[in-house]
Amino acid sequence: MHYKSVKYYSMKKLLYLFLAMFITIGLNACSPDDNPIDDSDTETPENPNPDEPDDPDTPEPTRGKTLIVYYSFTNNVHTVINDLGTQIEADVIRVETEKGIDYAANNYAIGSAQIQAIRNNPGSASSYPAIDPVEVEFGQYETIIVAAPLWWSNMAAPLQTFLFNHGAEMTGKRIGLIVSSASSGISNVESDAKRLIPNGNFLTPSLWIRSSQTSNCHSMITEWLKNIGYTE
């Protein structure tokens, strides 16, 4: 009896030992160290369309269309605008006066009288000379380049007429100014432009091209476009 009792005890102890080993193995099998997912190797998917922005709601910066408006009697400004047209893409309007007017007659007496009339009463439409009508949809343009000859220290009268008629439609537009003169400074022309386009966003500096520089204006225009931030 005692022997059997001892034997039974040994068998029971052995059974407990096997049970403990089984539990230990089972716990190790369920250890978090065996987690098959390694976060360090997890990859973030790349944008399948690298040419498109990651945020589709953020558009790429764009520049709107450009309009060039100019008047030219001696064709100096016309030459400048032809060169400008080789450097930028823009729509162009050339302001034209009534046919048959000889501005060169009597030492440009007609032009002188027109400038004086504007000086005397700049707020009256009757002070400005007639020009051929022009229809323009200004809403499509972001930048407007105005190119003017200087007459008796002021902007040429026909171009002033155009700006008097349409200056209000240029509100908020980027305005670039090009002035051609023999030697006189252009500050009064700049003042005329700002008076006629009171709410324009004027780009600085203006481009002053003397008559003697007209035929070699290409590099001057290139530098000016950089200076006003039009090109890089």
Side-chain angles (χ1 to χ4, degrees):
M1 293 285 298
H2 180 71
Y3 177 79
K4 288 183 179 180
S5 177
V6 172
K7 185 177 181 180
Y8 176 76
Y9 175 77
S10 297
M11 290 294 295
K12 187 175 182 179
K13 183 176 180 181
L14 186 61
L15 180 61
Y16 285 155
L17 179 61
F18 286 150
L19 180 61
M21 291 175 61
F22 178 79
I23 293 174
T24 300
I25 293 172
L27 289 175
N28 287 337
C30 297
S31 170
D33 292 340
D34 288 335
N35 187 348
I37 300 176
D38 185 351
D39 291 338
S40 64
D41 291 334
T42 303
E43 295 181 357
T44 302
E46 296 180 355
N47 186 347
N49 298 311
D51 293 333
E52 297 180 4
D54 290 333
D55 184 359
D57 294 328
T58 303
E60 292 292 326
T62 57
R63 182 184 296 281
K65 294 179 65 177
T66 296
L67 174 67
I68 300 171
V69 179
Y70 78 100
Y71 172 77
S72 185
F73 179 71
T74 63
N75 280 330
N76 282 341
V77 174
H78 181 70
T79 299
V80 171
I81 296 309
N82 279 344
D83 191 286
L84 176 61
T86 68
Q87 302 193 46
I88 67 172
E89 186 173 327
D91 295 335
V92 179
I93 293 175
R94 179 170 185 170
V95 174
E96 300 285 358
T97 60
E98 289 182 313
K99 301 298 185 287
I101 298 179
D102 185 5
Y103 278 100
N106 299 320
N107 196 26
Y108 296 93
I110 294 176
S112 176
Q114 291 175 347
I115 291 296
Q116 190 59 51
I118 295 172
R119 290 174 181 170
N120 291 341
N121 194 359
S124 173
S126 63
S127 301
Y128 296 83
I131 60 173
D132 290 345
V134 179
E135 293 185 3
V136 186
E137 178 52 57
F138 286 95
Q140 63 183 309
Y141 300 107
E142 178 182 333
T143 303
I144 299 174
I145 296 176
V146 177
L150 181 146
W151 284 7
W152 291 275
S153 299
N154 289 97
M155 180 185 293
L159 190 55
Q160 288 201 53
T161 300
F162 180 90
L163 298 183
F164 181 86
N165 294 338
H166 299 287
E169 300 173 74
M170 302 183 192
T171 296
K173 305 297 183 183
R174 292 155 38 96
I175 308 296
L177 183 62
I178 300 174
V179 183
S180 171
S181 77
S183 59
S184 300
I186 67 172
S187 60
N188 285 351
V189 179
E190 292 176 317
S191 297
D192 288 335
K194 292 177 180 179
R195 169 176 56 82
L196 295 163
I197 316 173
N199 297 310
N201 178 18
F202 281 83
L203 306 174
T204 56
S206 302
L207 175 58
W208 177 16
I209 300 178
R210 295 168 178 81
S211 300
S212 59
Q213 299 171 315
T214 301
S215 59
N216 297 310
C217 65
H218 184 84
S219 60
M220 297 177 67
I221 294 172
T222 301
E223 187 65 21
W224 177 69
L225 290 171
K226 293 178 181 178
N227 289 340
I228 64 174
Y230 193 96
T231 58
E232 296 180 355

